[in-house]
Every structure is written in C-alpha cells, then in structure tokens.
Amino acid sequence: MSEPAFVQQLNFHARDASNESAALQAALSLGLFSHLPESGSGEPVPLDALARRVGGSLRGVRAVVEPMVALGFVHLETGRGYSLPATTAAFLRDAAFTARLHEARRWWHPSAKLPEAVRTGATPEGNVLGWFREQFLSPRAPAPSPEAADFEDRLARNVLRTQALVTAGELGVLDRLVKGPAPLEDLARDVSAQPEALGVLLGVLATMGLTKQEGDAWGFSEAAGRALDAQSLPYFQRALPATMAYWEAFGHLDEAVREQKFRLDLRDPETARRIYQENASRISSIFASHLRLSRKAADLVRGMRSLAGARVLDVGTGSGVWGAAFGLADANSHVTYLDSPHVLDAVRPHLAKLKLEARSRLWAGDCLSVDYGEAEYDVILLPQIIPALPPSELPGFFARLARALRPGGLLLISGYLLTDRRDGPLDALYFALRRYVSNEGDVLSLPEFRALLTPVGLTAARGFDMPIQQVVVAHRGDVPWPATATATAA
C-alpha cells in the first residue's frame, strides 16, 4: 500500500470507520433491508414509504440508508426509490450469516472496555479480548460471497479497528512505539498493560498494517513509521477523543431513528457548550496548519473582488481561523468573530499572536437570534456551521445574512458538499450521520443550497474544491466568477 493510501486508511479508521459500522448495524436492527425488494423483482421503495415501514423518522432513515447506497449495498433509482442489488439480497437470505451479523451488533458497547481489558487482562462485559482475537487473529468461517465478506467486515470489524486505535492512543502505546521497537514484556511495562492482552492489541494493529513483530520485538510497520512520528502523531491522535464522544450515541443509532431519542443531544445547551468548547480547543491546537488552508479561501475571494478595507463577518467562528485568514489578506480589512462566549476565549490568543486585535471585533451571541443589520458586510463566512443548525431555521438564517451583505458582497459556506443525488462522498455522508445522531442539522448538496439561497436574492452559487473540504460561494449575480479556480459544479 502506498504511503498516501495508508494515511488515508488510518484516518478513516480513526474518524469514520465506527460511523460506517453504526450505519450498517442500525440498518440491520431497523429491519431496513427486509423492507426493500430485490432490484427488478418489485417497485423501488421511496424514502417516505421506507421510513413508515421501519417506523422511523424520515431524516433518520435517510441518514442511515444514504451510506448504504454509496457503499453499493442498496440501489437508488432517482425519482423512484430504493431496492437491493441481487448480491445484497442473496447474502441476507443466508440465515447463518445474518445470525453472525446480529451477534456482532452485541459487541458495540463492550468493545469500549478494551482499554481496561488490555490494561488489566480482565474481561469486563464479556470476553472482550476473546472477541477481538476471534475477529482478527483466528480463522473465521467463510462468508457466502465476496460482497458478504465486505459487508461483514464493515459492520463487525471496522468499529473494532477504531476501538483498537483509541485503546492504543489512550494507553500510550502509539507514543511508545514512536521511540522504536521493543520486546512485548518491555512494552507492557512501559504502558502499564498486561503482556498477553497487549499482545492481542498489537496483533490487531498488525492486521491494520500499523505494527509488525520481528523476533520478540514489536514496532511500527514501515508505513506507520513514515506516517507517524513525534510531530505527526499528536495531530493524528486528536481525532480519537472526538470519535469517542459519539460512541454511546452511535451504539443507539437505531433508537434515535425510531424514537428520536438522542444520547448526545447538541440541542441541549450544556452538552453543546461542552462539545463545542472541546472542538474549539482541538482546532486551536492545529490552528497554524488550518490557517494556511483558510488563506486559500481568501485567495479565491480575491480572484472575485478586492478585500481592501473589506468588512468581514465570521459566523460560528470556532477557533477564528477563517476570519483570521481574511484579516491577514488585507492590512485594512476588519473582521467580526461571532460565537458563544466560551468559544471566543479560544480566539483571543490567536488574534493577539497574529497582531489582528486592532482590526477585530469579538461578538458573543447566538447566530440564529442576533440582528445582523442591513448592508453591513462585504464578506460573510460560515465555517462548517450549517450542519450544526436545525434545517427548519435555515431559510430565515440565510434571509438575514443576505440582508446583511453589501452590494457586491459574497457569502462563503465551508464544509462538506454532497453530490446532487446525496449518494456521496462517503466521508461527507458519515459526517452527516454524526450530525444526525447528535440531533443537529444536515450536510447539503449544491442544489439544496441553491434552493435556500435563491429565494433570498443570492441567485448565483457555485462549489469550489479546497484542500480539505469544499466552499460554496454565493452572491447576487453582481460579482464575476474567478478565472483561475475550478468549480465543482457551476
């Protein structure tokens, strides 16, 4: 495997693999597959009908079924509905195989006890170490088909791969391996773990291409050694606590779909305060690298209009990195940073370090209730906040923002952008699933953005690829599009 492919796979296992398992397990628990006909043998089932059949909310069923389409396990016929490809229908008819899938569902919550099991060698909530050994280190009964094997791997083992990384990070195993290989007994002593249990963990990591054993010594694989060093490892490990913040909620995804009961409810003010503050802190720790990327968005805007003396509003600023990029883009620009008071505390040190304080305003408030005024700003930034907002609030929200734009003003919306059919990309769908399970908003496609922006006068909108995600740029049709940037969709 090439180094970029290895890094991509490693990041997937840290961030999205458990989301994928959660979607597959919830689909199985909800009986979603049993309500879909095999392609060609019956009429496709529209989303609203599928939601009625499984007894779930429309939004919840959509959040679960969309990744199934992207993975190829469910077929979407545009304008008609969903059905099962023949390969999926075939392996789901195998009773012994589906029994294995249901057994795997039982281990979601016990798998979170892996750190304790490796540390002590105990078997909390069942034989957790035995389950990991069975899934990764022992011969397994063959699946009915290659498609079935892929389905089972994603449903049963991806979540365990994430937990193995979480455990290796929490116990300091990854930090220790950065220093070089060592015998198992020495590694166990260094990280305060039970040797045999640590051996299971290292063996699981080896199946992921992360570790290898040479003689009696365990160390990083060559690919991991190149990808994870003393500088890059902390950056990688910052994703793991964020993943675990959603663990309990994803374990009850089926419950959220059927009962709209959310174990991580970010519409609860105290829960939201805690999670958003943690997110701002994590983003602040990688502020410098994100600033370089955000400045590319400022360059995109400068290809459309001047930023000399521009008044910029950064809504839901988080760490302030987007607003800071525009503050640095012109020595006479002025940026207002809007967010909750506890989040703005993370912004101040960055502005001081960049010497932007004199041209900055910190505005503490709720983005859905403040008065943005009329013709106040040349550029309004929405850095990844749309998925955090209730969909019902978006029409009024965009209307107030459009009113606040000056003539020739631009609205920039950063984040994930779904395909027109909402069938990809997968990382965007998994991000949308996180938003659903925490009772937040949604990830949108460009046609969905245009449906919200056109009625408020922002009649021109295009998506542009940025180094990490995408940016939707909207205006009243009074600004030329950049000649050098390539739009994802015109």
Side-chain angles (χ1 to χ4, degrees), residues 323-324 327 333-337 351 355-362:
S333 62
H334 184 279
V335 181
T336 295
Y337 302 81
L351 300 183
K355 303 188 186 316
L356 291 173
E357 293 169 299
R359 295 187 287 115
S360 300
R361 171 196 175 200
L362 298 183

Side-chain angles (χ1 to χ4, degrees), residues 335-358:
V335 181
T336 295
Y337 302 81
L338 171 64
D339 215 314
S340 304
H342 55 273
V343 174
L344 292 177
D345 289 339
V347 177
R348 290 186 176 88
H350 299 306
L351 300 183
K353 185 175 181 179
L354 295 171
K355 303 188 186 316
L356 291 173
E357 293 169 299

Side-chain angles (χ1 to χ4, degrees), residues 44-46 69 75-83 419-423:
V45 180
V69 174
H75 175 68
L76 169 62
E77 187 173 337
T78 304
R80 297 188 67 197
Y82 302 97
S83 59
T419 61
D420 291 0
R421 279 170 33 108
R422 295 187 59 95
D423 58 355

